[in-house]
Amino acid sequence: FKLFCNLRPATLYKGLEKFCPLRADIAAKGFDMVVVRELTGGIYFGQPRGIRELENGDKQGYNTDVYSESEIKRIAKVAFELAGLRGGKVCSVDKANVLEVTELWKQTVTDLQQAQYPNIQLSHMYVDNAAMQLVRAPKQFDVIVTGNLFGDILSDEAAMLTGSIGMLPSASLDEQGKGMYEPCHGSAPDIAGQNIANPLATVLSVAMMLRYTFREEAAAKAIEDAVGQVLDQGLRTGDIMSEGMTKVGTDAMGEAVVAALN
């Protein structure tokens, strides 16, 4: 389907700070970021690749990390335009100190920002530092853009900081804005039919669909605001339940969101 762009928001909602694995003082500051991951290139798709036997009989596995300038521009453009709708900041993550492919990544992103997005604040960060900074001070990030391998890792790290995978939507988009929207947790067959799953990631994925494919920003924000309102009311499914809150099932949580929309 040529879904080259993966969007993974990571937001710590008010009232869920205790589920964040970070120190209380860091969690209290909250965070709201989106990881923009290039999805169809990089080391996962690069050639040559395989497992071969060397002349000495030793086996060797090998993969090739490849990005073209056009691939980098395509994903960077998404990140810059998304930042223009949010906090106006993009952090491009690379390993340009040791990997030539990410040296090209860094230069291409920089050139694009200077030529077309001068009003967006661009910073660069090595991936090892980015992993550390997500734990040290996640609030500093707005939009993170990076390649397939680094994005795979960092988006999962950012997701874990929210405290529950049941709160995490995602989108994978093509160049025309068509996409596949899904909660990050998958279908959870082990708890199917028990009315205990958290539906909010699925609901928030619908909000992403309205925003990025149908360009219905008002409708998307209404859904997101409704989710926030329900959480403010103290309703919680089991994965985010805490003392003093009201535990509800899947159906009741979904109905509460619908009621908040009306």
Side-chain angles (χ1 to χ4, degrees), residues 7 169-171 173 177-182 202-217 219-220 223-224:
L7 304 180
S170 74
L173 307 175
K178 295 193 301 294
M180 178 180 69
Y181 297 86
E182 59 181 340
T202 303
V203 171
L204 292 168
S205 294
V206 173
M208 293 187 74
M209 180 180 68
L210 288 167
R211 172 173 291 119
Y212 297 115
T213 293
F214 296 105
R215 306 297 179 184
E216 295 286 350
E217 176 62 27
I223 291 175
E224 292 167 346

Side-chain angles (χ1 to χ4, degrees), residues 156-173:
D156 278 2
E157 181 188 7
M160 190 60 227
L161 300 182
T162 68
S164 174
I165 198 169
M167 296 295 301
L168 299 173
S170 74
S172 298
L173 307 175

Side-chain angles (χ1 to χ4, degrees), residues 119-141:
N119 295 328
I120 300 298
Q121 179 183 335
L122 174 64
S123 61
H124 299 276
M125 196 174 287
Y126 295 147
V127 64
D128 44 352
N129 186 32
M132 179 182 71
Q133 293 296 330
L134 278 171
V135 174
R136 189 188 74 83
K139 189 174 177 62
Q140 69 183 284
F141 295 107

Side-chain angles (χ1 to χ4, degrees), residues 188-201:
D190 55 318
I191 57 173
Q194 300 177 42
N195 197 35
I196 60 174
N198 187 341
L200 295 182

